[in-house]
């Protein structure tokens, strides 16, 4: 398994259990499909600042805008209150003792320590709990979308994935393919 910037925690202040209750209340006291914040993927972030959350690579970021124009259904935006509630619910399940510890597969976790969308601390904590995890992390040279980063960073990310897969799921030799 290879996870890139997994959403294992938000950057919101407060415990997940309390924030889950708030999100459940927001679903009960209004339409659950209404947006939970005004714009972008992160509460309080503007669409103009969105690129500073995702990648340092301007061309790869601009390519996304092209595809959103060609295929508007690919566009993301603010999450709904139901999405927020379900996200917290899944985080609470993963936080349960024994849940991640029971995963008996090799897992490569790729993360940026200064990610502006997901919690580095939650990712690091989860990686420690996964019995066969390897954590590969980057500093300020990387943003949330590691596979869309500038080439020097992206090349290292791809190399980490290749090395992990070569060790954990080696390609069969030509004689074994038949």
């Amino acid at each position: 398994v290879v996870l890139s910037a997994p959403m294992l925690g938000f950057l919101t202040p407060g415990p997940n259990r309390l924030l889950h209750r708030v999100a459940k209340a927001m679903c009960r006291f209004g339409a659950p499909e209404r947006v939970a914040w005004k714009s972008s993927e992160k509460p309080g972030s503007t669409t103009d600042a969105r690129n500073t959350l995702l990648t340092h690579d301007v061309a790869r970021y601009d390519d996304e805008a092209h595809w959103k124009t060609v295929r508007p259904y690919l566009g993301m935006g603010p999450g709904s209150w139901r999405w927020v509630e379900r996200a917290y619910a899944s985080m609470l399940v993963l936080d349960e003792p024994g849940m991640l510890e029971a995963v008996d597969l090799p897992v490569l976790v790729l993360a940026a320590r200064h990610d502006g969308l997901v919690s580095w601390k939650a990712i690091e904590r989860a990686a420690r709990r996964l019995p066969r995890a390897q954590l590969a992390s980057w500093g300020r040279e990387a943003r949330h979308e590691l596979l869309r980063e500038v080439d020097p960073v992206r090349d290292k990310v791809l190399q980490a994935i290749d090395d992990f897969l070569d060790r954990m799921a080696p390609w069969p030799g030509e004689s074994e393919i038949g």
Side-chain angles (χ1 to χ4, degrees):
V1 177
V2 177
L3 303 174
S4 179
M7 191 184 75
L8 299 170
F10 291 132
L11 298 176
T12 50
N16 285 349
R17 196 159 306 287
L18 172 65
L19 296 169
H20 180 237
R21 283 196 296 266
V22 169
K24 281 173 81 170
M26 294 302 289
C27 288
R28 259 192 321 275
F29 299 117
E33 63 276 0
R34 74 189 187 288
V35 296
W37 57 89
K38 291 184 183 208
S39 65
S40 193
E41 285 90 346
K42 180 181 179 181
S45 178
T46 65
T47 51
D48 293 340
R50 184 174 177 271
N51 67 316
T52 64
L53 295 171
L54 300 179
T55 179
H56 289 89
D57 192 294
V58 174
R60 287 191 177 113
Y61 181 79
D62 289 345
D63 186 57
E64 177 184 327
H66 161 77
W67 286 108
K68 284 181 181 178
T69 301
V70 173
R71 297 187 177 129
Y73 56 87
L74 294 176
M76 291 176 43
S80 69
W81 277 109
R82 178 62 69 209
W83 182 89
V84 172
E85 184 275 325
R86 293 287 74 207
Y88 277 119
S90 71
M91 289 175 212
L92 290 172
V93 168
L94 292 173
D95 284 345
E96 290 178 13
M99 182 60 71
L100 293 178
E101 291 80 1
V103 175
D104 191 32
L105 295 169
V107 180
L108 174 62
V109 183
L110 306 164
R113 289 187 300 275
H114 303 281
D115 195 309
L117 291 175
V118 297
S119 168
W120 158 252
K121 289 179 183 179
I123 292 169
E124 185 181 37
R125 192 169 45 250
R128 281 196 310 268
R129 292 179 54 211
L130 289 161
R132 298 179 65 192
Q134 174 186 330
L135 177 61
S137 62
W138 284 263
R140 294 202 183 277
E141 73 277 14
R143 293 185 177 143
H144 179 71
E145 300 218 358
L146 295 168
L147 292 166
R148 291 188 347 160
E149 261 301 350
V150 292
D151 285 343
V153 173
R154 183 173 185 250
D155 290 347
K156 289 177 184 174
V157 171
L158 291 171
Q159 187 63 54
I161 294 169
D162 285 346
D163 291 347
F164 176 79
L165 294 175
D166 285 346
R167 284 184 287 108
M168 298 301 157
W171 186 258
E174 289 294 323
S175 61
E176 296 174 27
I177 293 175

